[in-house]
Amino acid sequence: MTGSQSPAAGLPVADAPVAGSPVVAEIRRLRAHDALGRITVIVASFGAARDLVRALALSGGAAGVAVRTADQVVAELSAPALAPRAALPFPLLEAAVEKALDADPGELRAVAGEPVTGQAVARACLRLGTVEAGSVAAENRLHAEVLRLSEQARAMTGATYYTQFEAVSDALERLDGLGRVVLAAPLRGTEAERRLRTALDARGVTPIPGTGADHLASAAEPDGDGAVTGTYVLHASDPDDEVRAVVRFVRSRLADGTPGHRIGVYYPSPDPYLRLALRAFSEAGIVVNGPSATDLGRTPAGRSLVRLLAIDPGLMPRADLLSIVAEGAVVILDEQGASVSSRRLELLTRTRLPVIGAGDWARLADRLADRGDQPGDGFTDSDRAAAAALLRLVDRIRSTLGALESARTWSEVGETLDALLTSVFRQTPDRAAVQAAVGSLADLDTFSPAITRERIVGAVSTRLDSITERVGEEGAGVSLGPIDDAVGRDLDTVCVVGMAEGLLPVLHRPDPLLPEGAVGPPASELLDERYRVLQLALSAGANRRLCSFPRGSMRGGGHRIPSRWLLPTLSRLTGRQVHATRWQDAVAGCPAVTAVPSFVDGVLSPAPLLGPDPATLTELRLRELAARGWRAGPTAPEPLIRAHEMRRDRRLGVFSRFTGDVSSVNDLVTVLDTPVSPTRLEDWAQSPYLFFLATVLRVRVLDDPAADIEMDLREYGDLVHAILQRYVDDRLELGVGPDRDLLMRALSEECDKAVAAAPGLLAPLWRRRRMLLAAELGRWFEEDSADSDAGWRPTATEFGFGRELLGEPTARIPFEVSTSRGPETLLLAGSIDRLDVRDGAQRVTDYKTGTPPGAELRPGEDDPTVAGTRFQLPLYAAAAGSAGHMAVSEARYWYCTERGGFEQISLAISDTVMDRVRSDVGHLVDAIQRGWFPLKGGRGSSRDLADLLGGADLDRTWERLSGREPLASHPAFAGIVTGDTAGTGSESTS
């Protein structure tokens, strides 16, 4: 009985000093009477069989001795006699149940189509297959329905397959074939074991003294005289620390000369202990053998296949599809056979042409078919190659899912899935294993249950989840597994982890589909058997039996108390009765009870029980760090040294390379060698660090087209800008004044264009906004008409400067400033929303759709840059004046929506104002040229990046840095404040 079988399976061997000794003695006695006769030894588990064979080999040989588990005995005796029939595998039983449900769902009509229904009923039928047909009486209508389906499934499968009850019945008639039987197992766990035990009792075969379970304490009286208890108890803060401490204990045993194969570590439940133990032993370099933490269904190939089968082919959500691709099992190739990276696909479907799903794939195909260049859309030849490859994958998945929907046989299903795996999955061992599992779907044609997508997913999942591998080689290294695996073992040291209430005993959940106790022992008897299993597991440790439990869970929170089954051990070790709620007081001062207060304590001050040496290289380095006052020494790895320097500088506010000082390589900062927009300069003033990441290193956070249900502020701002630009352009082209009909036509056409370009699922939200936008623009029209009455006449929209545009001249805008290096020329770039003229002077307008700032954050003649943080209006004025050869008298922000109250914030432009601007811009340019980008949170165009990095943490570092030189005295930092300020940056990209 292995851990993959029933948790109650297998219960044997003694609590003698060496579990195999009485069994070996009995075999010698039988050999003395008949040297050539066959001897069969029945043991509890494969591990126990391996230990016994080793013991026999060391004591005179195992010739003529067959060591078998109860399941092996039944299979070897019954299989030849029942041939050509075979044991009924669960997937075929599930298929037979689904076939019966298709024919007559009966009381289960409402849920018959759900895959989980067939699986649950099939599991109940599998249990019914362990008892005689017709021996179970229904207690309610649900039980009757399950019994009916079980009879129908048995009728369908009986000619070709046999149940476990039939196999055991046949085996019991052929027990003579075992020769002389030595029983080294109590055979109390499963129905098959109990039947075999009864038959052997009738033949006078009883367990070898000391190997049974009848003498052990019961769950009703866990501290009875026969109780097997531990020799040590260990408790830690959580399962992670608990497992690490147990690994240290195992390492100390290995260091003392105990062979690895004589040590076992066992758990009540694989979650979380199997994963934690495998990782901890791997980090310690200790070889183990035991179950793997992943089955075939959790491998990249298995997981990706199941997720692809569950995807909606009509919707084909982009996020789900690219998440599957990111698993690494599915490969996307372009026309040259090169792999297309997930990064390219994310950029394509998030920024080049946003995709959510459904009709967006058709829009992507249309863009791919359109070979005409569209300047500024960023759709390159590389993007076209990636789009073509992605669309081929989408078509392949849709065609596969369509073929599955129309498949008439399960053989077709298997062939279709095999073709999908071959065509789009990487060639790996995982893929080969998945293909083998998928190939077995053809077996379902024996019963031909109806083919639906849900059943295909269920059938594939059932097969993949049932295929598990083992870690390590059987018998080599430390044994790792569930508690049942320890029963009957011949070990020196046994460790049982997870002995906390709520973890042990494992909660028993009755099957509501079957009468309680009809195909298994009652709950009380099952609990009693589980306690006996624990005692037998502990008795496998001849010299040391360590019991451990976590005091809490760092992930789930809360506190834990020792398991009721650990209390007998605590009571015996302390010499007094220990109660679960007062255990800490009771065990205080007991040398056999070891506490691990915390991870650091476990590493730096290990208890004597755990040994003095560190278990891993990480623990060794931690001890070295602690000895140096937590300062990395010169021999520490370079990444560790840098990490300590970074933490120190950020904690103490030291301006260094870890807090934004790149002055040692400032010659590499070339961002000012090319034209720069005023909003980019404002980004530096918001957060020099985020400016460095976003503008110098070009790091950015990609928008998820489906992340926001509503249109976000930036999209809304872009739409308003487009409408107003189109309206004013139409006025200029027609030579007319304010015209409400012209504005509404621009609104209609731009909204239609936005809907056509929007990801499909957001189109209704764009349309809903249109009515509100019309009302807002109506109010804006009144303001614009008043502007016209005052004599202002528009002359240009979206006046671009400093950037090269295909087929258009580039306006070069130099802006002279003074820095610590002397005079510098800064090249400006950007796009002015609107230019108006009146009486020979220009006015610059920048549309806004956000909320106006407070009075203290508005530009004025005495502070036109708001302490060196706002440059857009004066620098736009400088650009317009330089390019248009006409003086600019005014620059304004115009808030065009209800949110902004249609307010206008104006700045009068004069030589005095521009001199102040040149000085403030010069300070900023000087800081950038010096390579100063101190850490700070903020908003601006990199606000998403700030959210990702943790803006609050950045601001805390800024608080420490801002009071130190050179930041405290340099004028460029005077206006930067710690908290977020109201944003006036353009909501559109400029």
Side-chain angles (χ1 to χ4, degrees), residues 670-678 680-681 691 801 812-819 823-829 871 875 878 882 917-918 920-926 928-929:
T670 60
V671 65
L672 299 181
D673 293 350
T674 57
V676 61
S677 69
R680 282 288 174 263
L681 298 180
F691 172 90
F801 56 92
R812 183 179 174 87
I813 307 297
F815 189 71
E816 304 296 332
V817 298
S818 296
T819 70
E824 295 281 349
T825 299
L826 180 69
L827 297 177
L828 299 179
F871 302 100
L875 292 186
S882 177
V917 172
R918 294 181 192 279
D920 290 346
V921 173
H923 297 323
L924 189 151
V925 169
D926 183 68
I928 293 176
Q929 289 178 337

Side-chain angles (χ1 to χ4, degrees), residues 647-668:
R647 287 175 59 85
R648 179 201 63 201
D649 293 351
R650 293 189 176 188
R651 185 178 66 254
L652 300 178
V654 176
F655 192 44
S656 68
R657 59 174 176 160
F658 298 111
T659 53
D661 181 10
V662 297
S663 56
S664 62
V665 290
N666 63 343
D667 56 311
L668 300 179

Side-chain angles (χ1 to χ4, degrees), residues 476-562:
V478 176
S479 296
L480 178 65
I483 291 175
D484 296 79
D485 283 5
V487 175
R489 295 297 309 273
D490 176 14
L491 301 173
D492 173 90
T493 301
V494 165
C495 305
V496 178
V497 300
M499 295 187 68
E501 197 64 30
L503 299 176
L504 183 74
V506 177
L507 180 64
H508 168 64
R509 295 181 176 86
D511 188 347
L513 301 182
L514 295 174
E516 179 70 15
V519 293
S524 59
E525 187 177 329
L526 179 61
L527 188 66
D528 189 63
E529 288 303 309
R530 297 311 304 159
Y531 184 47
R532 294 177 190 271
V533 166
L534 173 64
Q535 295 176 79
L536 290 168
L538 289 173
S539 70
N543 294 317
R544 287 172 174 77
R545 301 187 290 274
L546 175 69
C547 303
S548 69
F549 71 96
R551 299 187 299 272
S553 172
M554 299 299 289
R555 294 176 176 85
H559 299 280
R560 294 191 182 277
I561 59 176

Side-chain angles (χ1 to χ4, degrees), residues 707-747:
D708 297 320
I709 297 177
E710 292 285 353
M711 180 190 304
D712 67 20
L713 182 62
R714 189 178 306 176
E715 291 171 332
Y716 187 57
D718 288 343
L719 178 59
V720 171
H721 279 69
I723 294 170
L724 298 183
Q725 178 191 351
R726 186 185 187 95
Y727 165 64
V728 176
D729 282 344
D730 289 346
R731 280 182 56 189
L732 292 175
E733 182 178 350
L734 298 174
V736 298
D739 187 329
R740 184 182 295 272
D741 292 339
L742 202 61
L743 176 61
M744 292 300 108
R745 188 175 72 184
L747 167 68

Side-chain angles (χ1 to χ4, degrees), residues 632-650:
T635 61
E638 182 63 24
L640 184 61
I641 294 175
R642 291 198 300 267
H644 276 260
E645 291 177 0
M646 180 185 71
R647 287 175 59 85
R648 179 201 63 201
D649 293 351
R650 293 189 176 188

